[in-house]
Amino acid sequence: MSGLEISSSKNLLLFTGRAYPELAEEVAEELGVTSVPTSAYEFANGEIFVRFEESVRGCDAFVLQSHTAPINTWVMEQLLMVDALKRASAKRITVVMPFYPYARQDKKHRGREPISARLISDLFLTAGADRLMTVDLHTAQIQGFFDGPVDHLFALPLLADHVEAKWGGDDNDGLVVVSPDAGRVRVAERWTDRLGCGLAIIHKRRDPNVPNEVKVGEVVGQVAGKTCILVDDMIDTGGTITKAADLLFENGAAEVIVTATHGVLSGPAM
């Protein structure tokens, strides 16, 4: 018989960038593995170098990176890791990005603007990623930007269980889920289905020429005397959430609880 007969086997390897290695350590502990030793550093001019210290040929690679500030540095590092794996003959490369970078720029509001969320998916596809794994995308349609499988995970079960245990009652009648803007209504509806409580919506307006600045309108729904659960995917500068909370108290809310998956907390947020 010509050729070699090789039994098929999967070899899961976990790779992590430098943004938040503590998360990778917790994931590795849950899986019962250790992350692959990696040499990563920056040259004097800021260019990033990455090299894996052991063979990755034929492996099922999971590349985990937290996209904190400086976000562009960590995006580039993860892209280089994916490229290195592809050139080292990894069998399959899954990019794990809990926070999808540039997710807010998922469409053009005016002319001569980029669709940056699409560019991010194109970059990872070109680098060699076979699959993306992320948590609570800013908008669900971003899944369609990547030409391959996307695992879109939700933090709602964990957050809703915590809210119900701490502030819920027999029928959660004292709770109302509040969407801080029109874009989060679908997410807020999923919360109401889970908690079995009412829904309110805050009508929000932004100045398209001023980033990170919010003008809040009015509350649609009954919030007086209720414990309001403000749900959002991320908190960046905190402008949306704080102004929404102020408006809810002005409309008679008894208490305001904020839940968010991605606590970016830039600038004045803290």
Side-chain angles (χ1 to χ4, degrees):
M1 184 177 91
S2 60
L4 294 173
E5 185 175 335
I6 301 175
S7 59
S8 176
S9 63
K10 289 186 176 180
N11 181 25
L12 184 153
L13 292 180
L14 176 65
F15 303 84
T16 179
R18 296 173 295 165
Y20 190 48
E22 293 86 353
L23 174 61
E25 290 174 5
E26 291 187 29
V27 172
E29 185 177 348
E30 289 290 333
L31 293 174
V33 301
T34 57
S35 57
V36 174
T38 304
S39 175
Y41 55 84
E42 293 174 349
F43 292 105
N45 67 345
E47 292 178 2
I48 299 171
F49 173 83
V50 173
R51 182 180 184 274
F52 304 118
E53 301 294 341
E54 63 183 56
S55 174
V56 300
R57 183 178 297 274
C59 77
D60 196 359
F62 288 80
V63 187
L64 174 62
Q65 180 77 298
S66 297
H67 294 109
T68 59
I71 188 168
N72 296 324
T73 298
W74 304 134
V75 169
M76 191 66 194
E77 181 177 87
Q78 194 173 24
L79 286 167
L80 292 172
M81 294 173 71
V82 172
D83 184 74
L85 286 166
K86 179 181 71 173
R87 298 179 188 280
S89 301
K91 184 177 181 180
R92 183 174 65 172
I93 303 170
T94 300
V95 170
V96 185
M97 47 171 70
F99 173 64
Y100 189 99
Y102 289 86
R104 284 173 289 187
Q105 301 180 47
D106 63 321
K107 57 183 173 294
K108 291 175 64 175
H109 296 277
R110 296 172 298 166
R112 302 176 299 282
E113 289 182 352
I115 303 180
S116 306
R118 172 59 191 266
L119 176 61
I120 291 293
S121 69
D122 288 345
L123 288 170
F124 279 100
L125 184 66
T126 301
D130 298 298
R131 191 183 198 101
L132 297 185
M133 184 181 296
T134 189
V135 184
D136 282 346
L137 287 168
H138 191 61
T139 51
Q141 65 261 27
I142 293 175
Q143 297 174 80
F145 291 169
F146 185 74
D147 189 14
V150 176
D151 295 312
H152 184 200
L153 309 180
F154 298 97
L156 187 153
L158 289 172
L159 295 173
D161 286 348
H162 177 73
V163 167
E164 189 171 39
K166 195 161 186 178
W167 292 281
D170 293 335
D171 54 4
N172 292 334
D173 187 53
L175 301 179
V176 59
V177 175
V178 182
S179 172
D181 56 43
R184 304 271 74 76
V185 172
R186 184 67 194 96
V187 174
E189 287 177 340
R190 287 199 291 266
W191 272 79
T192 60
D193 292 341
R194 168 63 181 79
L195 296 175
C197 61
L199 172 68
I201 302 167
I202 293 178
H203 177 57
K204 181 184 72 174
R205 293 185 298 274
R206 286 185 182 271
D207 185 344
N209 297 311
V210 182
N212 296 117
E213 186 170 315
V214 179
K215 295 181 179 179
V216 175
E218 61 275 348
V219 177
V220 181
Q222 297 297 321
V223 299
K226 301 279 189 177
T227 296
C228 297
I229 313 298
L230 266 171
V231 297
D232 211 345
D233 61 313
M234 77 173 81
I235 300 177
D236 190 359
T237 59
T240 295
I241 290 296
T242 53
K243 290 185 178 181
D246 289 341
L247 187 62
L248 290 171
F249 282 124
E250 290 173 8
N251 283 264
E255 191 175 11
V256 177
I257 310 300
V258 177
T259 72
T261 306
H262 308 295
V264 182
L265 304 181
S266 305
M270 293 299 292

